[in-house]
Amino acid sequence: MIGIARHGRLKRSNPYATALKLVAAVLTVAVVSTSAVAAVAVWSFSKTVDDNAIDITAGDTAAPVPQLESYENGFNILMVGIDNDATQSAAYGERGGTRNDVNILVHVSADHSNAVVVSIPRDLIVPHPTCTDDESGAEFSAMAARPINEAMSRGGLPCVVKTVSELTGLTIPYAGLISFNGVVQMSDAVGGVPICLDAPINDDSAGLYLPAGTSVVAGDTALAFLRSRHGVGDQSDLARISSQQIYMASLMRTVQGHGTLTNIPTLINLANTAASKIKLSTSLADIDTMVSMALALQDIDLDRLLFVQYPGTTGDSRFPGKVVPTEAVAADMFTKLASDEPFTLPGTTPTPAPTPDAPVPVETSTPATTESIVPTPQPTVQALDGLTGQTAQDDSCAQAATG
């Protein structure tokens, strides 16, 4: 007897798994801004694969359950914003080569109780290691003291990662790359980010014109704000980093508080945009990895998510217009990050470290004693002198140019 042909049934979706992937991806966006948007890109790919999958088992074999578990340890991610690529608009200017204009290192502690986002100035004078360009095979010798934004031209993203890793002493297994066009479209996809200014900004070089008070910036205006140097603070690279940190902190508060987690059209728009605008290291382009990272990040309070500038100063006559590292402060900070020792900014009130979950009491037949139980004191998170920055909870206004 000839069997009747049957259409293969489509793979049945798991609502819980799909929802958790969505939440995990967006939580990652909320925590590390542009670097975390990469999680949504990976989710977009995963969702497309899931939606188009066909079950050829006639339902006899259950589909494997996604390994939706929190990342087991701490981790470091480097997100690099480049100032030139083949597809970017001519409005951003002509450049002889591609440089790493923005360098953001994200460290999440092993117990997932806190995270630190370190902004490394593009003009920071650092030693450069030997690098090899994987595409051309060109080899580059080590250099003693050059701006960090030259690393991209010496071997692409791998060379930037190597340079930052040797500078900080931290292992960096994950990285991502985003261009000017990507920043514009990502800010549009999220619906804009509110930023506060203490005075009007009129920066002709960046094309940025904003009034005092709060404005919602998106698209080219958001990019102009992130790039503006002559319109903010003392017009240095460090002043621009302060503006970028204000933007990232506001982005996280926006995503957490404005319904992004439940706005499916916004999520899909964000995912589709990120999928074409973010380039990930192969170590990061894995849905299980990104979801596990997001689950590790989701419980970090905004006041324990710290944005800091790489410690450095301007005004050194040997390097006009550049930033020279404050080596002692930097060494102290990266030693603490390597050992997962939390810290906070000068001028803030030290707070107790997170208290570990208490064990569940177990009933026994032993009579209760009258002795009082003294709780074990928790260590205090101390301020690290010489650092500047803010927490994600801080909604301070950006400073317009002072001169």
Side-chain angles (χ1 to χ4, degrees):
M1 179 177 179
I2 300 176
I4 300 174
R6 302 177 185 270
H7 292 291
R9 287 181 288 180
L10 293 177
K11 177 181 176 181
R12 290 170 292 183
S13 62
N14 182 331
Y16 173 77
T18 301
L20 192 51
K21 285 182 182 180
L22 274 168
V23 173
V26 178
L27 284 170
T28 310
V29 174
V31 173
V32 290
S33 186
T34 52
S35 59
V37 169
V40 189
V42 179
W43 166 79
S44 177
F45 170 79
S46 175
K47 184 178 185 300
T48 300
V49 172
D50 286 348
D51 288 349
N52 291 290
I54 298 175
D55 182 3
I56 62 172
T57 66
D60 294 335
T61 304
V65 177
Q67 299 301 306
L68 300 177
E69 298 177 354
S70 178
Y71 200 92
E72 186 174 354
N73 300 304
F75 51 89
N76 301 314
I77 305 174
L78 179 67
M79 191 64 193
V80 176
I82 56 175
D83 65 357
N84 185 28
D85 67 19
T87 63
Q88 80 175 26
S89 169
Y92 305 138
E94 296 294 333
R95 290 169 173 78
T98 299
R99 299 197 173 192
N100 42 303
D101 192 60
V102 176
N103 309 275
I104 299 175
L105 176 64
V106 182
H107 171 80
V108 177
S109 65
D111 64 1
H112 307 158
S113 66
N114 61 85
V116 179
V117 181
V118 183
S119 293
I120 303 174
R122 68 175 186 178
D123 293 331
L124 187 72
I125 299 297
V126 303
H128 287 252
T130 58
C131 284
T132 300
D133 190 311
D134 291 337
E135 293 185 4
S136 67
E139 297 182 356
F140 297 88
S141 301
M143 302 188 300
R146 297 294 301 170
I148 197 168
N149 70 344
E150 295 182 10
M152 191 72 192
S153 64
R154 305 178 72 246
L157 183 60
C159 188
V160 181
V161 171
K162 184 178 181 181
T163 304
V164 175
S165 180
E166 294 195 8
L167 174 68
T168 63
L170 300 176
T171 300
I172 305 174
Y174 307 107
L177 202 65
I178 188 169
S179 67
F180 283 163
N181 283 343
V183 173
V184 169
Q185 295 185 35
M186 291 305 302
S187 60
D188 282 342
V190 81
V193 175
I195 53 135
C196 173
L197 301 177
D198 69 346
I201 289 181
N202 295 288
D203 182 0
D204 292 333
S205 61
L208 180 65
Y209 308 97
L210 290 174
T214 300
S215 299
V216 177
V217 298
D220 288 320
T221 303
L223 178 62
F225 176 74
L226 294 171
R227 294 182 65 204
S228 178
R229 178 169 177 167
H230 300 293
V232 294
D234 62 1
Q235 304 183 39
S236 70
D237 197 29
L238 298 182
R240 183 175 63 168
I241 282 179
S242 178
S243 298
Q244 291 171 351
Q245 292 179 336
I246 285 173
Y247 177 92
M248 289 189 288
S250 180
L251 172 63
M252 286 178 283
R253 294 194 301 272
T254 298
V255 171
Q256 287 196 2
H258 291 186
T260 304
L261 294 177
T262 56
N263 190 324
I264 300 302
T266 298
L267 286 172
I268 293 176
N269 189 22
L270 196 59
N272 289 336
T273 302
S276 62
K277 296 302 177 183
I278 304 284
K279 294 182 180 179
L280 304 176
S281 61
T282 53
S283 57
L284 192 56
D286 174 80
I287 186 62
D288 287 339
T289 299
M290 292 307 299
V291 169
S292 67
M293 286 180 175
L295 292 175
L297 291 166
Q298 66 180 338
D299 293 326
I300 298 178
D301 293 334
L302 291 181
D303 61 356
R304 292 192 180 278
L305 174 55
L306 189 63
F307 292 98
V308 298
Q309 296 179 10
Y310 190 104
T313 59
T314 57
D316 191 314
S317 59
R318 298 171 301 165
F319 305 101
K322 304 301 180 183
V323 180
V324 177
T326 306
E327 294 181 355
V329 179
D332 195 4
M333 177 177 69
F334 290 113
T335 296
K336 290 181 182 296
L337 289 180
S339 61
D340 269 344
E341 182 181 347
F343 56 86
T344 188
L345 297 167
T348 58
T349 303
T351 57
T355 304
D357 293 336
V360 178
V362 178
E363 293 184 4
T364 66
S365 58
T366 304
T369 64
T370 57
E371 297 180 4
S372 60
I373 299 176
V374 179
T376 302
Q378 295 301 312
T380 298
V381 179
Q382 299 293 340
L384 184 57
D385 291 337
L387 282 186
T388 58
Q390 68 176 87
T391 68
Q393 192 66 55
D394 184 354
D395 60 357
S396 299
C397 294
Q399 293 185 346
T402 56

